[in-house]
Amino acid sequence: EAGVAQSPRYKIIEKRQSVAFWCNPISGHATLYWYQQILGQGPKLLIQFQNNGVVDDSQLPKDRFSAERLKGVDSTLKIQPAKLEDSAVYLCASSLDIQFTDTQYFGPGTRLTVL
Amino acid sequence: AQSVTQPDIHITVSEGASLELRCNYSYGATPYLFWYVQSPGQGLQLLLKYFSGDTLVQGIKGFEAEFKRSQSSFNLRKPSVHWSDAAEYFCAVGGRTGANNLFFGTGTRLTVIP
């Protein structure tokens, strides 16, 4: 079974530029998550989708971050414009459904460096 | 509000020695608790989880964890560490019902010396 795929793996941009990350969850998984992991910290949930609807985006900085999952499968996370403090690893995860018994499977992440 | 504390930033153990990684949580209701491992350049992998029932849970790779409600702890243990266990370990607590969101601690980096 293929895991969660993310691209790109690495991205370097200058502040005020835009960037987008892509995630393809495990086939059949209804729930998709984006986490931000700053160096030295644990992952922090940014947004959670159930199919193509948003379940929780309370920690998403909506003035600069946006995410979509239009067809309930792939998802993109965008930052526009980027700030220095956005340098982090962005992790995508998926689970079969939304219950706590549904294990979250994580992708390898995209490491973003903002100069 | 949920929170997780991992008091040890970095632990070094000798190969073959026993291991215990500490985790304390804060949560108003019955907690759902998890341990994940992150190897360099890889995503997080679930080691084990606790929802209810037996307070000693077994996981993959020979790991186990014990839930102690009175101490608000969920410590991870392994009787004999292998060099391949070197990685970052994260404890997490489940969020509100119906959302399946996780709150992670800051992690403990494990170094294994020969």
Side-chain angles (χ1 to χ4, degrees), chain A residues 55-70:
Chain A
V55 175
D56 184 352
D57 64 355
S58 57
Q59 302 225 66
L60 187 74
K62 298 180 185 64
D63 58 333
R64 298 183 300 106
F65 286 64
S66 64
E68 60 183 14
R69 194 185 184 201
L70 293 177

Side-chain angles (χ1 to χ4, degrees), chain A residues 17-83:
Chain A
Q17 286 187 324
S18 301
V19 65
F21 311 127
W22 174 81
C23 173
N24 181 238
I26 293 173
S27 178
H29 279 197
T31 312
L32 185 147
Y33 316 76
W34 284 102
Y35 289 86
Q36 180 193 56
Q37 185 177 16
I38 294 173
L39 186 64
Q41 299 181 20
K44 181 185 80 171
L45 181 71
L46 291 176
I47 189 167
Q48 178 183 357
F49 293 93
Q50 178 69 359
N51 296 310
N52 60 351
V54 175
V55 175
D56 184 352
D57 64 355
S58 57
Q59 302 225 66
L60 187 74
K62 298 180 185 64
D63 58 333
R64 298 183 300 106
F65 286 64
S66 64
E68 60 183 14
R69 194 185 184 201
L70 293 177
K71 296 182 179 180
V73 181
D74 294 5
S75 177
T76 56
L77 176 70
K78 297 179 182 178
I79 308 175
Q80 180 180 2
K83 293 185 175 181

Side-chain angles (χ1 to χ4, degrees), chain B residues 8-113:
Chain B
D8 304 305
I9 296 174
H10 184 204
I11 285 182
T12 300
V13 299
S14 299
E15 191 168 14
S18 63
L19 171 70
E20 182 169 27
L21 302 182
R22 296 184 290 166
C23 172
N24 293 97
Y25 68 89
S26 174
Y27 189 61
T30 300
Y32 301 92
L33 297 162
F34 307 79
W35 274 100
Y36 278 83
V37 61
Q38 186 175 38
S39 299
Q42 299 188 25
L44 292 106
Q45 181 183 23
L46 180 68
L47 285 175
L48 47 79
K49 56 190 177 185
Y50 171 79
F51 295 144
S52 64
D54 193 347
T55 57
L56 184 64
V57 293
Q58 302 297 320
I60 62 172
K61 304 185 180 185
F63 285 92
E64 67 178 26
E66 186 171 12
F67 170 61
K68 293 185 177 180
R69 185 185 297 275
S70 61
Q71 299 177 20
S72 297
S73 70
F74 189 58
N75 294 349
L76 182 72
R77 301 193 295 247
K78 187 170 185 177
S80 177
V81 170
H82 188 263
W83 63 266
S84 61
D85 293 324
E88 188 98 21
Y89 291 81
F90 292 92
C91 181
V93 62
R96 61 183 175 88
T97 300
N100 197 18
N101 48 340
L102 298 176
F103 294 85
F104 285 86
T106 52
T108 297
R109 184 161 63 93
L110 174 65
T111 297
V112 181
I113 56 177

